[in-house]
Structure formats: C-alpha cells, structure tokens
Amino acid sequence: MSKVKCDHCHLEFGDDVMIHDGEYRFCCKGCQGIFHLLKDEGLDSFYAKMGDTTLSPPTEQFEASTNFDTPAFAERFITRTKEGFSQVSLIIEGIHCAACVWLNEKALHKMEGVVEAHINYTNNKARITWDEGTLKLSSIIDMIRAIGYNAFPYDASLQEERANKERKDYYLRMAVATFATMNMMWVAIAQYAGYFTGITQEIKTILNVAEWFLATPVLFYSGWVFYRGAYYGLKNKAVNMDLLVVTGSSLAYLYSIYITLTESGEAYFDSVSMIITFVLFGKFLEVLSRKNAADTLDVIGRHIPREVSVVEGDSVREVNVNEVKIGDLIRIRTGEKAAIDGEVVHGEGNFDESSLTGESDPVFKRPGSSIISGTTSIDALLTYRATKDFAHSTLSNLVNLLENAMSNKPRIEQLANRLSQHFSSTILFLAIATFWSWYFWPHTFDRALMVGISVIIIACPCALGLATPMSIMVGVGRGAQEGVLVKNAEALERLEKVTTLVVDKTGTLTEGKPKLMDVLPVDGFDAQEFLHLAASLEQNSEHPLAAAIVQGAKQQNL
C-alpha cells in the first residue's frame, strides 16, 4: 500500500491509518488540531517556511512525554488549585519574541481541558492549569512540541545552567564585537584625519576594506541574535525590535560595500559595528536583569528545606519533603527551618517567626502549639505532627504567591504589549517615508538612505515591549529580597497613587533585630570585661538577644 504524507508533520504513513479531513490527511488528532489552529489564526504560512522538514514522530513525542504522567512527576511538580484543577510550571524553549508567546498561549487555550495558560516572556516560564479528568499533561507537552517548541518542568538548578550558558554566549559575542569595534576606531581616526588633510582614493579604499573585514564578524556573529529574533518574528507575522536593528545595520553594511567597490562616497562600516555593539550590550543587560529577577525565586526555592527528619518508632530517617504525609511525626533541631506545618507533640523552645509576622520577638512553642513552615527554630528541639503536606504548606504557598505575582500581567503591561506590536511596523513605514521625502526634496541618494536608516536605528521599542515587563519583574523580585511579598503585580501599578501608609506592627517598620545599646556592669567589673565575658557565653546561641550581645562585642573589637 502506498504511503502518504501527513499534512502537518510531513511523516509518511499508510493511507488506511490516516485521518481523512476533506482534502487533507493527518496521522493523528494532534496534527489535525494544530493544522486547523494555525489555519484559523492565519498562520498557515508556517508550512511554506517549513518546506519538506519533518517534525518529531508521534511515537517519539509520546515516549518523551510519558514521564510527565507518572505519580513521581506529579508529586514533585504538579499542584492543585482551590477549584481542584492541576497546575504546573514549565519552561518553554524556543521563545524569541512576543509572537512566540502569543502562538503558544493560543494553541494551549484551544485544547479542551486547559483552564488557563499564561507565559511570561521575560523568563519563558509558563503556568498552565488544566483538568486532569479531560486532558493529560503529556498531551499538553506534545501540543507545544508540535508547533515547533519544547517544554520541560521548571527547576531552579536547570535554569541556572541554561542562564550560565546564555550568559557565556553573550560574553563571547560581546568580546568579538568590542575587539573589532575598538580596532575599527583606529582605522576611523585615519579616515577622519585624511578627510581634513587630504587622502588618496587608493588609501581610502584600503582603509574601507580593513573596516569591511572587521565589521563582518560583528554583524553576522555578534549580531546573529538580532537576525534570529527578526526571523522568528517574521515567521509569526510580527515586526519586532530585532527587525529594526537588522534592517538598519544590514542596509548600512550593504551600502558601505557598494561604496568600497565603486570607490565613491563615504563608507559607514564603523557605524554598523557601533550599532551592533551598543545594542548587544543593551541586550546583555536585559538578560542579566531578567536572570537577577528570576534568581530571587530560585534563591527562595533553594532555601526551602528539601528533607526533613521523620520519626518512625525509635528511629529517625531523612525523608524528602514531598513524601511527608499528614500525620507524620517530624523532629526539628536548633537552627533548622520548618518545611511542613504542624502541631507540637513533644518538646519546647523558641521559634523565629519574623519572616512571616514581622515581629522580632521569639515565639515560645510547647505541646499543642502550631508550627508554621518557613519559621526557624532558635533553641528548640521538639517533635511535631504534620497537619499539611508540603504542596499545601505556608512556605510553598508563599513561593507560589510570588511566582504568580511575577507571571500576572497588569494593565500597563498589557497596554505596552499591544502598542509595541504596532510600534515597529510604524517605524518601518516612517523610515521609508523619510527616505523618499529626503530623496525628492531633493537630496542625494546617499543622504536620503542614511537619514532613513537613522530613523530605524534610533527608534527602539524596548521601553514598551521589554522595559515594562522587566520593571514589573524586577520590582516584585526586589520586594521579595527586602521581605515584601507582592500578591498581585497590578498592585505595583496602583502603588504610585498611594498617599498614606498604615501599618499594624512596629516590626514592619524596624529592622526586627535587637541591638546592644549600652553595658551597665555590676560593681567590681569593667564594662568591656563584662561584655567580653557575656559574649563568650552567648557566642554559640541562636537567640536574637545573644546575637545582639555578640555583635556588640565585635563592634568594640572584643
């Protein structure tokens, strides 16, 4: 029996196993659904760009996705919402622009069973909520892969590895751009000096050729990130900032080659190199800002205890926090942080709850007292019974609260995204109009082209499409570093209208740490000697007052 190609993935199968849909043939319902989604949204040009390329076979996709449906994966990465739906955080690889975010969100929302799908462009993190009774997570992963992207569960350690790799790539590209640009400046000095003192055309051409060789790796290696971004933007019918940079620098580069070969006019290879170098540095700063903001969550995540001591009869064993069940007995020692909420059954001692309540005074715990996850044992050695599992613990909820705040888009960001989608197209139109206006004024072609390119280069929609979401993310992240958790990013937008701040705890306004103010020794003791002895006794204690005494002694070099 002859084989036919699937109209989506282009893999060949027997006609008897294909799904017949009018004039189209599909190997599975997933391919059929994606095909009609792209067609309905006017993105069927995806197949023209795809050419004869084949996508991953469904069997390979299924095998790669089966681990997403295992109980072990669900315990570690999947949480439950109040409504009973499942929720997971994924990192989507291959997202280069806002159009990629739009395509993935559209595809996911079209799936039956998906309740919510939101992707944060600044860190490529997707938060997906779905009904497990209708849809499996593996089907969601297959959908993402079918449209040309990849997804894997969010993990702080993996994110660190990917971020380091991206940073090293930018370092190398910036090193090439900086080296070439700095050397090009020496050539440019000779050109400008020759312009005023007189220079032969032969020497001028030699200098132009030297700049040509230096500008080429800057444009096509260091500037490759802009070409890639422009390609993916056009692929999804979106005009983005990268296209503006690529268009302006490429036109200046081609024009300079023409000038060099015809030995007429002035070449602008140095301008091409400077444009790419400066914008690349800006791009790198964006990457660093994005990573620093995301690191806030990673640092908080890394400070969450991964194991707890579970009491089983006369023995104690270390257990992963995700394996702890309600009713398990947990032992906590001095200096340890509670990862699970519970109730004390044996032992007593003080806990530091300032990170949650803002109050610096230690809270004494005894049998029957509640233990809140995220609080730290100061001098307590006790056993308590778990009243919640880790997924529903106070500490886990706080981290999820912060993640949701970073993912939610306030109105100002939604407006900025809508404006930036049309901004680049408008700039290209203005650049073309400027070129023809200057050309017919009349001016020379050279002058008109340079003015048109200038319009493209100086008009960068970073402030609209990038700086707005970045500022939201950095603001929420900085607040977390300072101990302020923002429940909704929209609160930051409303905060600038606030005129009065009302607080209900003194600990909210103070540092929350006792400080040694004065030493009043008893008769027969010198003040410094007395403080030295007190600090010696308290140096191994975790109590806030003991820490204040030790710190006071250190400040006096005792």
Side-chain angles (χ1 to χ4, degrees), residues 162-460:
R162 289 179 69 250
N164 288 336
K165 183 179 179 182
E166 183 180 24
R167 200 161 58 243
K168 288 178 182 178
D169 180 64
Y170 269 93
Y171 277 139
L172 187 56
R173 293 183 189 276
M174 286 192 303
V176 171
T178 303
F179 174 80
T181 302
M182 291 177 67
N183 282 277
M184 197 178 299
M185 289 302 100
W186 291 107
V187 180
I189 290 174
Q191 285 185 323
Y192 286 115
Y195 179 83
F196 292 104
T197 61
I199 185 174
T200 64
Q201 183 60 50
E202 182 181 1
I203 298 299
K204 188 176 180 180
T205 301
I206 291 174
L207 294 177
N208 284 342
V209 171
E211 286 193 336
W212 182 0
F213 279 107
L214 288 169
T216 300
V218 176
L219 180 62
F220 295 109
Y221 174 71
S222 299
W224 173 248
V225 292
F226 304 110
Y227 281 97
R228 182 181 60 193
Y231 166 74
Y232 282 105
L234 291 174
K235 182 179 178 181
N236 292 285
K237 294 186 176 181
V239 179
N240 55 21
M241 180 203 72
D242 292 334
L243 182 62
L244 298 182
V245 176
V246 165
T247 303
S249 56
S250 298
L251 286 175
Y253 178 79
L254 293 174
Y255 173 74
S256 298
I257 292 176
Y258 167 77
I259 291 298
T260 302
L261 296 178
T262 59
E263 297 186 343
S264 62
E266 302 295 332
Y268 294 94
F269 289 114
D270 55 339
S271 298
V272 173
S273 183
M274 292 294 290
I275 289 166
I276 294 297
T277 302
F278 279 122
V279 180
L280 185 64
F281 267 89
K283 195 89 169 176
F284 178 66
L285 291 176
E286 173 201 332
V287 171
L288 288 183
S289 298
R290 190 167 62 202
K291 184 183 182 303
N292 290 338
D295 277 350
T296 301
L297 284 179
D298 296 341
V299 169
I300 293 174
R302 285 195 291 269
H303 286 173
I304 297 176
R306 294 301 173 189
E307 292 185 340
V308 295
S309 301
V310 174
V311 180
E312 296 178 344
D314 296 330
S315 63
V316 179
R317 68 184 184 96
E318 298 297 317
V319 175
N320 187 287
V321 291
N322 293 296
E323 297 177 11
V324 177
K325 300 179 179 61
I326 296 175
D328 286 351
L329 294 178
I330 301 171
R331 179 164 297 173
I332 189 167
R333 305 173 182 85
T334 300
E336 292 183 346
K337 179 176 289 186
I340 306 291
D341 294 75
E343 182 180 318
V344 179
V345 295
H346 178 71
E348 58 185 25
N350 293 289
F351 271 73
D352 178 9
E353 297 184 348
S354 59
S355 59
L356 298 178
T357 65
E359 296 291 353
S360 57
D361 291 340
V363 180
F364 188 75
K365 303 291 183 179
R366 57 174 60 88
S369 300
S370 297
I371 299 295
I372 307 173
S373 59
T375 60
T376 304
S377 168
I378 297 175
D379 55 11
L381 175 60
L382 50 81
T383 302
Y384 71 95
R385 179 176 288 105
T387 55
K388 295 180 181 179
D389 57 17
F390 177 71
H392 297 89
S393 66
T394 302
L395 185 58
S396 181
N397 288 337
L398 284 175
V399 174
N400 291 333
L401 189 70
L402 186 57
E403 287 182 346
N404 292 340
M406 284 188 166
S407 299
N408 290 337
K409 294 180 181 178
R411 286 193 298 269
I412 188 172
E413 185 177 341
Q414 295 172 10
L415 175 61
N417 289 342
R418 287 196 297 270
L419 290 176
S420 63
Q421 291 175 5
H422 306 289
F423 186 86
S424 299
S425 302
T426 303
I427 293 302
L428 282 179
F429 171 78
L430 290 175
I432 295 172
T434 302
F435 167 78
W436 287 114
S437 298
W438 279 70
Y439 184 69
F440 288 113
W441 188 254
H443 285 282
T444 62
F445 172 82
D446 299 3
R447 184 63 181 274
L449 181 62
M450 286 301 104
V451 173
I453 291 175
S454 299
V455 173
I456 295 176
I457 295 300
I458 65 173
C460 176

Side-chain angles (χ1 to χ4, degrees), residues 85 103 163 177 241 373 499:
F85 296 118
L103 177 60
M241 180 203 72
S373 59
T499 57

Side-chain angles (χ1 to χ4, degrees), residues 77-148:
F77 296 107
I78 298 177
T79 58
R80 295 283 180 180
T81 65
K82 295 179 181 179
E83 297 79 12
F85 296 118
S86 299
Q87 190 173 84
V88 69
S89 292
L90 302 174
I91 294 296
I92 300 184
E93 273 190 339
I95 288 181
H96 302 283
C97 61
C100 298
V101 173
W102 175 86
L103 177 60
N104 277 274
E105 288 183 344
K106 274 286 187 182
L108 290 169
H109 280 122
K110 289 281 185 178
M111 298 186 73
E112 184 181 357
V114 172
V115 178
E116 181 185 74
H118 177 77
I119 302 171
N120 192 326
Y121 169 68
T122 54
N123 57 5
N124 296 354
K125 187 175 182 180
R127 189 180 72 247
I128 302 172
T129 306
W130 79 101
D131 181 7
E132 271 191 342
T134 306
L135 186 68
K136 289 185 177 180
L137 179 58
S138 58
S139 301
I140 296 175
I141 303 298
D142 287 343
M143 166 71 82
I144 296 171
R145 290 173 177 169
I147 57 176

